Amino acid sequence: MLPLLKSYLSDRQSRTRVKGEVSALFPIKSGVPQGSVLGPLLYILFTSDLPQAPNVTIGTFADDTATLTSHTNVLRASTTLQEYLHIFNRWLQKWKIKVNGTKSSYLTFTLPNDPRPPIYLNEAEIPPAKTVKYLGLHLDTKLNWREHITKKRKQMDLRYKELYWLLGRSSHLSINNKLLLYKTIITPIWT
């Protein structure tokens, strides 16, 4: 099995195309082929020793990682999170994994507007956010779902407009076919 995996991950090359110009081939030294069947399994195996800590929950889905901590005191929750991120950063350095800082943010769920201390990963501040999207859910600091409902409503409206020629009054489709389209394309957006 090892020789098969080695051949799958070795001697890979890539090139970049920008506005019709193509770069020379360059070697790919890390990662797995995106969209491959083995990619998710290899990633899970590679990250199976992700550090754990008391009062910290790690949520992973493919290469997205959410780190959660909870406390009635915002400062204590932030301190716990920061302590874990120091441990997590050492793990990242050990395995030579780079985090895309532009995709990282942190959100504090709280009713009062308590001060939120800055959070750092690899000596770079993680920007605080009022809302984040994780696994298709739009979460905000108050957990009131307003942002999520607004985004989903816009997404449904856009999809309906795209399909209006099939779903509208002037369409020659039967009501059963219109209902089938609605249930298979529009309904999954809000469910």
Side-chain angles (χ1 to χ4, degrees):
M1 185 69 147
L2 188 58
L4 177 65
L5 286 176
K6 188 174 180 180
S7 70
Y8 176 70
L9 297 172
S10 301
D11 300 322
R12 295 180 299 126
Q13 297 180 330
S14 184
R15 64 175 48 160
T16 303
R17 180 186 314 253
V18 178
K19 295 183 181 177
E21 298 294 321
V22 180
S23 73
L25 286 171
F26 55 90
I28 299 174
K29 297 179 182 177
S30 64
V32 295
Q34 289 201 348
S36 66
V37 174
L38 284 179
L41 175 63
L42 292 175
Y43 184 81
I44 288 169
L45 291 173
F46 190 75
T47 60
S48 64
D49 67 337
L50 200 64
Q52 303 293 314
N55 303 317
V56 175
T57 301
I58 310 298
T60 59
F61 182 79
D63 62 347
D64 282 338
T65 303
T67 307
L68 309 158
T69 185
S70 174
H71 199 278
T72 54
N73 181 309
V74 172
L75 295 176
R76 184 65 208 143
S78 297
T79 302
T80 302
L81 177 61
Q82 186 61 70
E83 289 168 356
Y84 176 77
L85 290 179
H86 288 308
I87 297 166
F88 182 64
N89 191 53
R90 285 193 295 275
W91 180 86
L92 291 169
Q93 289 172 347
K94 174 184 174 184
W95 294 111
K96 298 179 181 164
I97 297 174
K98 292 184 180 175
V99 172
N100 186 345
T102 62
K103 291 186 175 180
S104 299
S105 60
Y106 87 94
L107 183 67
T108 303
F109 301 108
T110 182
L111 288 176
N113 289 324
D114 292 335
R116 293 166 184 93
I119 302 292
Y120 297 90
L121 180 62
N122 195 23
E123 299 178 21
E125 184 176 350
I126 300 173
K130 298 225 184 269
T131 65
V132 294
K133 181 180 177 186
Y134 187 68
L135 301 180
L137 291 174
H138 299 271
L139 305 169
D140 65 18
T141 58
K142 308 293 186 213
L143 283 178
N144 63 19
W145 301 106
R146 191 172 296 124
E147 178 82 10
H148 183 74
I149 292 167
T150 301
K151 297 277 186 185
K152 288 299 173 182
R153 182 63 202 203
K154 285 181 183 177
Q155 191 179 359
M156 285 173 45
D157 288 346
L158 180 63
R159 189 58 51 93
Y160 182 78
K161 286 177 185 175
E162 290 171 350
L163 295 172
Y164 187 76
W165 65 282
L166 288 171
L167 297 173
R169 292 181 186 262
S170 59
S171 169
H172 297 295
L173 283 180
S174 70
I175 192 70
N176 287 338
N177 284 335
K178 288 180 182 183
L179 188 58
L180 179 63
L181 281 173
Y182 182 83
K183 286 181 176 179
T184 57
I185 297 174
I186 306 291
T187 302
I189 294 171
W190 57 269
T191 57

